[in-house]
Amino acid sequence: MGKRILRRSKTSKATAVSPANIAFIKYWGKKNSKLNIPFNDSVSMNLDKCLTTTTVEFNPRFRSDKVIVDGKELAEDKKLRVLNIIDLIREKSGVSYGVKVVSKNNFPSDSGIASSASAFSALALAGSVASDLTLSEKELSILARIGSGSASRSIVDGFAWWKKGANNATSFAAQIAPESYWDLRDIVVVVEKMKKKSSTEGHGVALTSPFFKTRQKNLQRRTLGVIGAIKKKNFLKLGELIEQEAIELHVMAMTSNPPIFYWNKGTVEIMNKIRKWREVGLTGFFTMDAGANVHVICLAKDVSKLNSRFKRLPEVLFTISNKPCRGTQLTNKHLF
Ligand code: DP6
């Protein structure tokens, strides 16, 4: 499943739409920070309400490279990160023209949702098709990973397993199960109205945490546990493991040098409420990526009950309810 061979096309413009994903097992720490080769495998689910659409055009008439995100030209450092992927595509395809990249997110930019996963996966597919490259799913996952590690997982449909691999050619994501396999939900509970802090900073100091080594030892068992729970649709097992994982990631961040605190009081309030509600039979489990907002994983039957409770809490700004969805796809709805 999930293998996607792209048809060659003669057009120099292509558009892709791609989801963000929530990590059940987190990528935290890089063995190679240029190529985003991680220390550990990670596991995720795509989020159908958190999408990035990106159009890429190579054109001999473009004098300079332009990158526009949500209506604004990107700052130089972020633009260089995008052009690094464009240059890899130019190298592979032999296309040397100027490029125009236009990208937009359908989720609020202040929602703290990682847009690098959806952004770099969309860029990898749109850029390669625009340059007439035919890449397999594996090759796309590798290309997206070089842009942002978590983007390697968004290429794949449904639930993804990014195997750390040993080098550039062996570090990529593959499917665990398609989106239709399990109707799991992720309610993103937004408690912080600001841009997500960079996770790149966190990766850089991950090894300074005294818990890093212990984590690496425990991770293989937990990762296989999460994959097994997805395959068996064992919700309670999955929930137990993803909460352990989320707490561990944030303890690592808090004990790094310098320490990084992603949580705010809303984060703690939601975690406490989720645990309390579980005691009375309303079952959700929390996980957080590199930010304060809480992803509450639950079954479809509990989404509206949980949502109405979240809406009553003063710390909650808004929520976004997601289902699992396909990975990066081509579309003909170009942005320019
Ligand atoms: C906590 O993929 O954003 O969300 O490779 O530097 O772009 P870069 O990092 P990024 O890291 C994601 C960290 C995380 C966990 C995860 O998604 O696995």
Side-chain angles (χ1 to χ4, degrees):
M1 277 297 296
K3 194 98 178 135
R4 186 187 295 110
I5 303 293
L6 300 167
R7 251 185 322 117
R8 276 190 174 276
S9 97
K10 285 281 159 255
T11 58
S12 60
K13 188 194 270 190
T15 301
V17 54
S18 191
N21 63 71
I22 179 63
F24 293 157
I25 296 289
K26 318 281 187 188
Y27 148 52
W28 203 241
K30 303 181 188 187
K31 249 188 193 154
N32 178 327
S33 56
K34 206 166 160 252
L35 294 171
N36 295 333
I37 311 279
F39 272 98
N40 59 272
D41 291 12
S42 54
V43 175
S44 65
M45 177 181 107
N46 288 339
L47 305 177
D48 76 325
K49 293 291 182 313
C50 303
L51 304 173
T52 299
T53 304
T54 300
T55 300
V56 178
E57 181 176 359
F58 290 98
N59 193 316
R61 285 182 291 122
F62 295 157
R63 293 272 165 88
S64 60
D65 295 334
K66 261 210 164 104
V67 184
I68 297 160
V69 176
D70 288 334
K72 284 187 222 119
E73 269 206 56
L74 271 195
E76 206 54 29
D77 55 329
K78 290 191 174 159
K79 182 176 168 185
L80 285 177
R81 215 172 144 185
V82 170
L83 293 182
N84 179 36
I85 299 303
I86 293 293
D87 284 343
L88 286 174
I89 291 171
R90 283 186 178 124
E91 209 172 284
K92 268 181 196 277
S93 64
V95 170
S96 55
Y97 303 149
V99 77
K100 183 171 175 184
V101 178
V102 176
S103 189
K104 76 172 185 358
N105 296 314
N106 78 337
F107 47 89
S109 62
D110 60 5
S111 61
I113 293 162
S115 57
S116 67
S118 50
F120 280 99
S121 46
L123 180 70
L125 180 58
S128 54
V129 174
S131 69
D132 207 16
L133 268 178
T134 305
L135 299 185
S136 65
E137 180 177 281
K138 170 179 155 182
E139 290 167 319
L140 282 169
S141 177
I142 289 172
L143 184 60
R145 186 206 74 227
I146 298 171
S148 176
S150 52
S152 65
R153 299 185 307 239
S154 287
I155 294 287
V156 176
D157 292 345
F159 299 83
W161 177 3
W162 172 16
K163 292 193 191 170
K164 62 182 176 184
N167 51 44
N168 190 42
T170 54
S171 183
F172 58 92
Q175 188 179 71
I176 300 168
E179 65 285 0
S180 57
Y181 184 73
W182 195 8
D183 193 12
L184 209 57
R185 302 299 174 97
D186 175 359
I187 307 176
V188 185
V189 184
V190 178
V191 292
E192 184 172 64
K193 218 169 156 54
M194 57 158 82
K195 284 213 182 289
K196 181 178 172 267
K197 290 172 211 159
S198 158
S199 33
T200 306
E201 178 197 349
H203 289 293
V205 295
L207 269 83
T208 63
S209 165
F211 302 117
F212 186 81
K213 278 203 179 118
T214 318
R215 169 174 165 78
Q216 293 303 313
K217 269 193 223 140
N218 297 340
L219 258 183
Q220 203 193 353
R221 238 179 83 206
R222 189 182 295 149
T223 304
L224 294 179
V226 163
I227 291 165
I230 293 171
K231 287 189 171 159
K232 288 185 204 130
K233 301 183 194 171
N234 185 339
F235 179 55
L236 297 182
K237 187 73 203 166
L238 179 76
E240 180 194 324
L241 293 173
I242 66 174
E243 283 195 356
Q244 280 174 11
E245 171 67 0
I247 294 167
E248 195 171 285
L249 173 102
H250 286 266
V251 165
M252 292 237 309
M254 289 185 230
T255 52
S256 293
N257 184 13
I260 309 174
F261 298 91
Y262 291 109
W263 297 354
N264 68 17
K265 71 179 204 296
T267 317
V268 178
E269 174 69 6
I270 301 297
M271 288 193 285
N272 286 334
K273 283 282 192 285
I274 289 293
R275 290 160 63 126
K276 224 182 188 165
W277 296 341
R278 278 212 297 267
E279 285 169 17
V280 295
L282 182 57
T283 312
F285 295 94
F286 59 78
T287 181
M288 293 78 63
D289 279 344
N293 298 328
V294 185
H295 293 248
V296 177
I297 308 301
C298 63
L299 297 175
K301 68 177 177 61
D302 291 323
V303 170
S304 53
K305 243 188 258 168
L306 281 164
N307 251 328
S308 57
R309 291 201 181 199
F310 290 136
K311 279 175 188 154
R312 270 183 257 142
L313 300 175
E315 293 86 0
V316 176
L317 302 170
F318 58 94
T319 65
I320 306 172
S321 301
N322 296 276
K323 296 180 187 182
C325 67
R326 295 197 71 181
T328 319
Q329 304 290 314
L330 286 174
T331 165
N332 51 19
K333 290 184 189 138
H334 301 309
L335 295 179
F336 62 92

